[in-house]
Amino acid sequence: MIRLEDVHKSFGRQTVLDGVDLEIERGKTTVIIGRSGGGKSVLLKHIIGLMKPDSGRIFIDDVDIAQLNDRDLNEIRKKFGMLFQEAALFDSMTVGENVAFPLREHTPYREDEIRRIVSERLQAVGLTGVEEKMPAELSGGMRKRVGLARAVALNPEIVLFDEPTTGLDPVMTEAINRLIIDTQKRFQLTCVVISHDIQSIFEIGHRIAMLYEGKIIAHGSPDEIRTSANPVIAQFLSGSIEGPIKIV
Amino acid sequence: MNAISAALDGLGKAMMSYVEEMGRILLLFLSVMAWMFRPPLKARNIFKQMEFVGVKSIFVVVLTGTFTGMVMALQGYHGFRMFGAEALVGSTVALGMTRELGPVLTALMVTARAGSAMAAELGTMRVTEQIDALSVMAANPVKHLIVPRVLAGVFMVPLLTVVSDFCGILGGYFVGVHLLDINSGIFIKNITKLVDLGDIYNGLVKAACFGLILSLIGCYKGFNARGGAEGVGRATTEAVVLAAITILISDYFLTAIMF
Amino acid sequence: MVNISSEAKVGLFVLVGLIILGYMSFRVGQQGFGLKNGYTVRAVFPNVAGLDRDASVQIAGVEIGRVEEIQLQDGQAVVTLRIRPNVKLGNDAAATIKTHGVLGDKYIELAPGTNTQAFLKEGEQIQRVESQADIDRLLRQITLIAADIRGVTSSLNKAMGGERGEASLGEIVENARLLTKNLNALVVNNEEALRFTLGNARQLTDNLNRVVVTNDAKIADVMDNLKDASKQMEQTFAQLNEITGSINRGEGSLGQLVKNQETAQKLNQTMTSLQEVSDKINQGKGTIGKLINDEQTARNLDETIKGINRYVSKSEQFRTYLNYRGEYLFDKSDGKSYVDIRIQPKEDRYYLVGVVADPRGRRTVKERITNGVMTRTEEWEKDGLLFNAQVAKRFRNVVLRGGVLESTGGVGLDYLMLNDRLKLSFEAFDFNSDDDDRAHLKAGMEFQVFKHIYLTAGWDDFISKRSNSSPFAGFAIRFEDDDLKYLLSSVPIPK
C-alpha cells in the first residue's frame, strides 16, 4: 500500500530523515511514535507529497510519488484524507462549507446532494446542526471532529492523522480515539497516525513503528513493541528520564 | 582584513538573498499567470477579494485623493501667484493626480489596507496548516488563494485610482474656485487643454502594475510565512515595506518609459 | 441595511468607476476625438525651434489637428500634420508657426486657402510656409520705424521750434484768419450773384438729369469704372491704415524709444536675451531642469551614429536584439528561461545565439562497452545550460530557422501576423534522442502587448512519451540595441 525506501531529508545542516524504510499495510492502523520534533510530521508530509525527499523513494500503490508532476500527484492525493494537528479548518468558511470543500472541488454533485453528504459526515463524527457555525466558534475537540469529517468526505482509502489527541482533555481524547477506530472499521481505511500519547497508541494501533534519530528502529504489533527489549523503546514507553534518549 | 572580507561576504549574501527573493516572486507571478487561465475559476472568491480590495478601500481613497488635490491647489496657488499664473493651478492638480499622485497614493493606501491583510491572512493560513490542507485536498493553493487576490489587485487599484483622480480634481476645484477665487471656467478649460487622454490612461496602467505588485508581494510574504504568530507579524511588516518600496521604485521606471 | 452580495457591491463600484473614467476621458479627450482617422499633410519649415510633437494645429484659433512628427531633411524641418477628416484644405493653404504669448507653447496656424476646387490629399505638402514672426526681427523693425519717426519729429521740431518758428506759426494763423474773413465778405457781397449761380446750377442738373436718363447705359459703365477705382482706393487705404495702426500700437514704448537712443538699445538687448532664454526653455520642452547640453550631446551622438550607419551602407542596416523569455511549465510547476542575442545583418536574415535554462537540465549520454555489449546511460545534469545557435531566413511572413536548438540539431518555423505583433511558431529538435523518446516538438505563439513586452503560450514537447510534455505560458522582453541606448539615455530624466 504505502512503502518508503531509504528516504532522506534534511533542512540545511539538520538531518531529519536519515534513511527511513517503512511499509504500511492496507486496511490497518499504523501508529508512528517518536520524540516531539523528531521528524514524525515531516514523514507524514512526505507520504502525501507535501514535501519531496532529498533521496529515496515513496510508493503509493506502486507509484513513486517523489517523481510525479503536480497533476499526477493531485490524482494520487484524491485517495487521501488528512486530519491536521490543529484541524486546519478554513476559517473564512462555515463548518458546512469546510466539509463541502473537497466535494465541490472534485465531484460533479449537485448542491442538495452535497448538503446531504455534509450532514451525513458530520453526523458520523457526532455533530449536528453546526453547518452554519464558523470554525472559530467551535471548541478544539469539535474542530478536530469537523476536520475528520472533511478528511473522509471523499471516501478516501488512506487517512493520515497528525497528533489527533494532542491538547485535548482525557474524555475528548477517548472520544476521538473511538471515532478513529470506528471510522477505520466502517470504511476499511488504511490509517497512519502520529502520536506520542502512549495510552492512545495501544488502543488504536494495529501496527506500531518507532522513529528515532531519522530511522525506523522498530516496527511491529502492539504486543511486540510493548515487550521490546530495545532500551530506546523501553525508555520512551515508560517515560523515564534515564536511558539512551538524551534530553536536550 | 578579516572584518572587511566578512563585511563584503555579508553584503554579497544579502544581495544574493534579495535577488533570490525577486526570482521567487517572479516565479510565483509566472505560476499565477499560468493558473489564471486554467478554468474553473471561482467567481465568488474573486468577487469577495474585489469587494475587500476595492469596495472597502473607497472611503480611504476618496479621503486621501480629495485632500491631496486640495493641498496641491493651495500650494500651487502660492507658487503660481508669483508669476500671475494662478489659472494653471487646475491643470497642475489634474496632471499631478492623473499621472503620479492618484496611482501612487492609491497603491500605497491599498498596500497598507489590503496588501498587509493578504500577507496576514495567508500567513495565518500557512502557520495553521490551512494551505497544506488545500494541497492535501488536491486543490492548488496558488489558484485558490493567490489568483483571486492578484486579479482583485490588478483590476481594483486602477478603478480606485480613477476615483482618487476625480476626487483630487474636485478637491482642487473646491479650493481653487471657492476659496482662492480662481475663475471656474478658466480652471476647467486649462484642465481639459493640458491633460491628455494618455495622462489618464498611463496613470491607470501604472495603477494596474502597482496593484499587481502589492497583491503579489502581500501573497508571497504571507504564503512563505514561517514560525507562528511572530512569523505572521513579520511577514505582514515585510510585505508592506517591500511592496511600498517596489511601488515607488517601479513608479520611477514606469514614468521614465511611459511619459 | 439590506444584505447586499459582494457581487452587487463590486459591480456597482465598477460601474461608478467606469462612468467617472468615461466622463473624465470625454472632457479631456474632446479635442482628440476624430483625429485618429484624419489625414496627414506635410509642411517644410526652415526652423521649428520650440515646436513639439502633439502641438496644436489651428485655423482661426480652432484646433483642427495635431503635429504628428518632426523630421530633419536636407537641413530643413519636415513637419507632418494630422488633420481632422472633415476639414478640407485648399492646395494654396499656408502654414505659420505661432506662439501663445511670449513664453507660451508653439502651435501651427493654417490659412485654409481660397481654392475650393483642389484640396490637399493625404501625404501632400503645404506649399506656402511663413516662417515664424521672430520677436528679434519684430524688434529690429520697430527700431527702424522709431528712427524714421524720430527724424520726422525732429525736423518738425526744427521747423516749429524757436522764436522764428513761433513767429511764422503766428503769421500762418493770422493769414488764415484774414483768409476766412475775406471769404466771408466775398459771400456776403455776392449773395445775389450766388443765388443766380445756384439757379443756373439747378438748371444744369435738370439738363444733366435728362442727359442721364437718355444715356443710362453709358453712365452705368462709367459708374462701374468708378466703383473699381474706389475699391482699389479702399484697399490702399486699408493697407495704409494697417501701417499706421501698427505704429499706433507701438505708441507707448515708441515715445520712450524716440526720446533716448540708449534706453532703446538696452531694451533691445534685453529683449534679445529674453528671446534667447525663452528659446532655450522651449527647446528644453517645457522642463527647465532638463540639461540642454546633455540633450545636445545625445543628439550629436545620434547624428554621428546615423552618419556611420549611412556610411556603412544605406540599405543594409545592422541590427541587434537582446531577448529574454521566461516560460512557466504548468505540469512541471517550474520555469524555463531563454536569454539570447539576435544579430540581424539584413532585413530578411538573422543569427541567434543564446542559452536556455531547462528544469530538466542537460542530458549527457555515456556509452560503455563491456564484454562486447554496448550500454548507454543517460544522465541529466540539473544545473546544465542548453545552447541555441540558429540561422534564420525570412520569406514574407514565414521565417525558417535551423541550427542548434537546446543543444541538439533542429529546425523551426515562424509565421508572423498582425504587422509582426503575433508570431506562431513551431520547433522540432532532439531527433536522435535514443531508444524510447520521440523528437522534441514545441508549438507556441507570442503576442506583443507593449513595445518591448511579449506574452507567450503554447505546448512544449507535446509528443513526449516520458511525460515531459507540458503547456506553458510566460512573457518575453526584447530590446533592440538602439532601444537600449535610448532607454539608457532617457531613463534618468523622466519628465
Side-chain angles (χ1 to χ4, degrees):
Chain A
M1 181 82 221
I2 303 173
R3 199 166 78 243
L4 289 84
E5 288 179 3
D6 197 27
V7 173
H8 288 262
K9 179 76 178 180
S10 40
F11 298 103
R13 278 180 212 155
Q14 192 193 358
T15 304
V16 180
L17 301 181
D18 189 14
V20 172
D21 290 294
L22 180 65
E23 188 154 358
I24 288 161
E25 291 169 48
R26 187 183 296 274
K28 295 259 174 70
T29 300
T30 304
V31 182
I32 299 171
I33 56 174
R35 302 190 61 191
S36 310
K40 300 191 300 290
S41 290
V42 172
L43 186 62
L44 207 62
K45 285 180 177 171
H46 275 85
I47 291 175
I48 201 164
L50 284 176
M51 288 182 182
K52 298 235 164 174
D54 294 341
S55 69
R57 287 179 293 185
I58 299 162
F59 291 100
I60 308 290
D61 290 340
D62 298 321
V63 180
D64 181 4
I65 63 164
Q67 304 300 321
L68 288 182
N69 62 32
D70 281 2
R71 196 171 43 181
D72 297 337
L73 188 58
N74 273 344
E75 282 309 307
I76 298 280
R77 276 177 179 160
K78 288 179 191 167
K79 296 181 183 176
F80 280 90
M82 180 162 176
L83 174 58
F84 286 86
Q85 206 165 336
E86 303 289 340
L89 299 180
F90 302 128
D91 36 35
S92 59
M93 299 180 186
T94 64
V95 167
E97 285 170 334
N98 260 291
V99 180
F101 185 86
L103 298 166
R104 293 202 172 116
E105 274 302 299
H106 299 299
T107 64
Y109 293 149
R110 287 201 317 275
E111 201 49 34
D112 50 338
E113 286 174 285
I114 287 179
R115 211 163 296 151
R116 185 181 54 75
I117 297 171
V118 166
S119 83
E120 213 176 272
R121 291 284 186 276
L122 284 172
Q123 243 157 23
V125 297
L127 294 170
T128 46
V130 292
E131 277 95 332
E132 295 309 317
K133 286 200 170 146
M134 298 307 278
E137 301 169 46
L138 304 182
S139 71
M142 283 167 95
R143 272 212 289 276
K144 289 226 164 144
R145 283 190 276 171
V146 174
L148 183 58
R150 187 177 70 178
V152 297
L154 278 181
N155 285 326
E157 298 168 34
I158 308 163
V159 180
L160 310 181
F161 297 86
D162 191 356
E163 307 199 2
T165 56
T166 304
L168 299 179
D169 63 66
V171 179
M172 190 50 81
T173 301
E174 186 54 31
I176 294 281
N177 283 343
R178 284 277 164 77
L179 203 55
I180 293 174
I181 294 164
D182 285 352
T183 318
Q184 194 270 333
K185 268 193 194 135
R186 176 143 38 124
F187 297 108
Q188 279 305 300
L189 295 173
T190 307
C191 290
V192 182
V193 183
I194 279 179
S195 184
H196 34 57
D197 177 3
I198 305 299
Q199 202 190 341
S200 307
I201 295 166
F202 294 111
E203 198 176 335
I204 60 178
H206 301 120
R207 309 282 296 166
I208 293 172
M210 167 103 189
L211 181 69
Y212 181 66
E213 295 191 331
K215 290 189 175 66
I216 298 291
I217 56 164
H219 185 201
S221 68
D223 284 335
E224 284 166 11
I225 295 293
R226 208 189 315 247
T227 56
S228 169
N230 191 320
V232 176
I233 297 172
Q235 188 196 352
F236 189 82
L237 293 184
S238 66
S240 148
I241 51 171
E242 303 290 326
I245 304 177
K246 286 175 196 66
I247 298 152
V248 187
Chain B
M1 274 315 279
N2 248 344
I4 294 172
S5 75
L8 283 178
D9 196 39
L11 194 69
K13 270 184 186 145
M15 279 292 288
M16 273 316 290
S17 75
Y18 181 74
V19 170
E20 270 178 56
E21 181 143 69
M22 283 298 147
R24 280 197 294 267
I25 292 176
L26 194 68
L27 272 179
L28 180 66
F29 171 61
L30 288 177
S31 118
V32 167
M33 289 280 288
W35 282 107
M36 204 172 280
F37 300 107
R38 287 199 143 180
L41 281 182
K42 289 258 163 66
R44 205 170 139 255
N45 277 345
I46 299 174
F47 276 114
K48 255 171 103 176
Q49 290 304 324
M50 282 183 165
E51 184 192 0
F52 177 70
V53 175
V55 178
K56 293 193 171 160
S57 301
I58 293 179
F59 181 68
V60 277
V61 164
V62 165
L63 217 59
T64 45
T66 311
F67 278 95
T68 308
M70 288 167 74
V71 167
M72 278 179 78
L74 203 58
Q75 294 281 25
Y77 178 77
H78 291 306
F80 281 125
R81 199 174 49 178
M82 291 189 237
F83 307 103
E86 294 95 329
L88 287 176
V89 167
S91 41
T92 310
V93 172
L95 277 176
M97 287 307 296
T98 53
R99 281 180 160 203
E100 213 43 65
L101 291 171
V104 171
L105 286 180
T106 305
L108 291 181
M109 292 314 289
V110 175
T111 303
R113 240 201 99 258
S116 60
M118 288 178 190
E121 201 181 343
L122 291 198
T124 309
M125 291 187 76
R126 167 60 78 190
V127 300
T128 57
E129 296 183 305
Q130 289 177 49
I131 290 178
D132 285 339
L134 268 179
S135 298
V136 165
M137 286 187 269
N140 188 295
V142 171
K143 181 182 170 186
H144 274 266
L145 300 175
I146 303 188
V147 167
R149 286 172 170 79
V150 169
L151 278 177
V154 170
F155 285 108
M156 287 298 113
V157 176
L159 269 176
L160 288 168
T161 302
V162 169
V163 172
S164 167
D165 288 353
F166 189 65
C167 291
I169 294 170
L170 279 188
Y173 180 86
F174 175 75
V175 170
V177 173
H178 291 289
L179 301 184
L180 301 173
D181 273 343
I182 299 171
N183 180 296
S184 72
I186 290 175
F187 190 95
I188 290 169
K189 189 187 150 258
N190 266 325
I191 292 178
T192 53
K193 199 174 92 186
L194 292 178
V195 180
D196 266 346
L197 274 183
D199 292 323
I200 296 177
Y201 290 139
N202 285 342
L204 297 189
V205 171
K206 266 190 190 179
C209 292
F210 297 159
L212 176 70
I213 289 170
L214 73 92
S215 54
L216 203 61
I217 290 181
C219 290
Y220 169 80
K221 284 291 182 187
F223 202 69
N224 293 298
R226 289 281 180 280
E230 194 203 340
V232 175
R234 198 169 46 234
T236 310
T237 313
E238 283 175 5
V240 172
V241 172
L242 186 64
I245 290 173
T246 313
I247 284 171
L248 291 174
I249 293 176
S250 63
D251 179 42
Y252 179 86
F253 288 100
L254 286 172
T255 308
I257 290 172
M258 284 195 299
F259 292 109
Chain C
M1 204 170 108
V2 200
N3 204 3
I4 304 174
S5 70
S6 336
E7 282 88 337
K9 283 185 203 163
V10 173
L12 199 66
F13 174 49
V14 170
L15 197 67
V16 170
L18 288 181
I19 288 173
I20 295 177
L21 179 64
Y23 173 73
M24 291 202 299
S25 309
F26 177 71
R27 289 302 298 266
V28 162
Q30 270 167 330
Q31 296 143 330
F33 284 155
L35 256 184
K36 276 244 166 78
N37 42 10
Y39 62 101
T40 60
V41 294
R42 302 186 315 144
V44 181
F45 291 93
N47 180 12
V48 291
L51 190 72
D52 261 336
R53 275 180 68 166
D54 261 353
S56 181
V57 177
Q58 307 185 344
I59 290 178
V62 179
E63 181 169 287
I64 53 119
R66 294 281 176 100
V67 171
E68 187 163 272
E69 205 176 12
I70 301 174
Q71 280 179 320
L72 188 65
Q73 201 175 69
D74 304 327
Q76 292 205 304
V78 179
V79 180
T80 309
L81 314 175
R82 184 165 285 281
I83 309 292
R84 278 173 205 275
N86 53 352
V87 176
K88 300 257 181 280
L89 300 172
N91 60 4
D92 57 345
T96 321
I97 297 179
K98 290 197 169 175
T99 314
H100 288 295
V102 182
L103 289 176
D105 295 331
K106 290 271 195 321
Y107 67 98
I108 291 186
E109 172 81 31
L110 293 182
T114 51
N115 193 337
T116 51
Q117 304 304 315
F119 295 114
L120 283 176
K121 286 193 279 292
E122 167 74 36
E124 286 188 336
Q125 187 170 333
I126 295 178
Q127 298 299 338
R128 286 170 52 207
V129 166
E130 290 160 35
S131 49
Q132 64 201 104
D134 266 350
I135 292 181
D136 215 20
R137 227 180 53 199
L138 201 72
L139 278 174
R140 212 175 303 135
Q141 275 177 355
I142 289 176
T143 323
L144 285 177
I145 295 168
D148 284 354
I149 291 175
R150 193 162 168 275
V152 175
T153 48
S154 71
S155 48
L156 260 176
N157 205 20
K158 253 185 234 156
M160 308 270 200
E163 275 179 34
R164 236 185 54 190
E166 218 167 284
S168 48
L169 258 179
E171 246 169 68
I172 292 170
V173 172
E174 187 63 19
N175 286 345
R177 206 167 56 90
L178 282 174
L179 184 67
T180 48
K181 202 175 172 185
N182 290 345
L183 263 174
N184 206 12
L186 195 71
V187 172
V188 171
N189 294 340
N190 297 298
E191 204 179 354
E192 192 63 20
L194 268 174
R195 198 170 292 149
F196 181 72
T197 312
L198 278 173
N200 282 349
R202 205 176 44 221
Q203 261 183 353
L204 181 66
T205 51
D206 275 356
N207 291 343
L208 264 176
N209 211 9
R210 261 200 307 279
V211 174
V212 169
V213 170
T214 44
N215 296 302
D216 207 11
K218 278 182 194 166
I219 299 275
D221 275 359
V222 176
M223 287 309 274
D224 275 354
N225 289 345
L226 263 176
K227 216 196 269 173
D228 275 2
S230 75
K231 212 182 230 169
Q232 278 170 9
M233 286 279 282
E234 203 171 61
Q235 274 175 8
T236 317
F237 275 126
Q239 279 166 9
L240 269 175
N241 211 10
E242 233 173 81
I243 293 167
T244 51
S246 52
I247 294 172
N248 253 350
R249 279 195 294 281
E251 223 169 31
S253 46
L254 267 182
Q256 287 197 325
L257 285 170
V258 171
K259 261 187 195 155
N260 193 337
Q261 189 73 28
E262 213 181 335
T263 324
Q265 224 149 25
K266 274 183 187 166
L267 191 68
N268 206 358
Q269 277 170 2
T270 316
M271 291 305 253
T272 316
S273 44
L274 194 66
Q275 155 86 1
E276 270 168 22
V277 173
S278 72
D279 263 356
K280 278 179 186 169
I281 293 171
N282 268 342
Q283 276 163 10
K285 290 163 197 164
T287 312
I288 300 171
K290 200 163 172 179
L291 289 171
I292 296 158
N293 285 338
D294 265 12
E295 205 186 38
Q296 271 173 351
T297 318
R299 210 180 296 140
N300 288 346
L301 195 70
D302 213 32
E303 290 294 330
T304 317
I305 289 165
K306 265 189 197 150
I308 292 171
N309 265 347
R310 260 201 300 277
Y311 182 70
V312 170
S313 163
K314 264 192 177 165
S315 61
E316 296 189 4
Q317 264 207 331
F318 205 88
R319 306 173 95 164
T320 344
Y321 297 90
L322 279 176
N323 185 27
Y324 165 82
R325 193 158 92 237
E327 291 170 353
Y328 185 80
L329 301 165
F330 292 92
D331 287 341
K332 297 192 189 174
S333 309
D334 213 334
K336 188 169 177 179
S337 322
Y338 303 73
V339 177
D340 46 54
I341 297 174
R342 189 163 109 187
I343 299 162
Q344 188 166 333
K346 267 189 176 176
E347 197 59 39
D348 61 346
R349 183 191 302 161
Y350 65 82
Y351 306 98
L352 186 142
V353 286
V355 292
V356 183
D358 188 297
R360 195 159 58 143
R362 185 172 56 199
R363 182 183 59 202
T364 46
V365 178
K366 284 181 187 155
E367 296 185 3
R368 199 177 297 140
I369 301 176
T370 41
N371 304 335
V373 181
M374 193 172 73
T375 52
R376 300 178 68 168
T377 47
E378 277 189 354
E379 278 178 11
W380 296 90
E381 192 187 329
K382 276 253 170 177
D383 297 326
L385 287 175
L386 302 169
F387 295 95
N388 261 336
Q390 297 173 37
V391 184
K393 170 101 175 136
R394 179 169 182 170
F395 306 93
R396 290 171 175 274
N397 282 341
V398 179
V399 178
L400 287 181
R401 291 181 280 130
V404 179
L405 276 80
E406 304 195 5
S407 296
T408 68
V411 290
L413 180 89
D414 298 330
Y415 186 75
L416 296 152
M417 294 156 71
L418 305 176
N419 287 333
D420 294 0
R421 285 188 70 185
L422 180 64
K423 183 171 89 177
L424 307 178
S425 60
F426 174 77
E427 287 175 357
F429 51 95
D430 200 8
F431 297 106
N432 52 358
S433 162
D434 38 82
D435 49 47
D436 50 347
D437 208 8
R438 300 172 179 152
H440 192 134
L441 298 190
K442 177 177 174 181
M445 62 181 198
E446 189 177 86
F447 182 68
Q448 181 179 24
V449 274
F450 296 115
K451 199 170 169 201
H452 304 295
I453 312 287
Y454 300 77
L455 287 184
T456 171
W459 204 295
D460 192 19
D461 205 1
F462 53 83
I463 57 164
S464 168
K465 287 199 294 190
R466 282 192 192 162
S467 75
N468 187 40
S469 120
S470 167
F472 67 86
F475 70 94
I477 303 171
R478 184 168 306 147
F479 288 105
E480 192 178 346
D481 70 338
D482 247 13
D483 293 343
L484 211 61
K485 185 187 76 197
Y486 169 74
L487 196 71
L488 288 176
S489 63
S490 74
V491 156
I493 316 161
K495 276 206 272 177

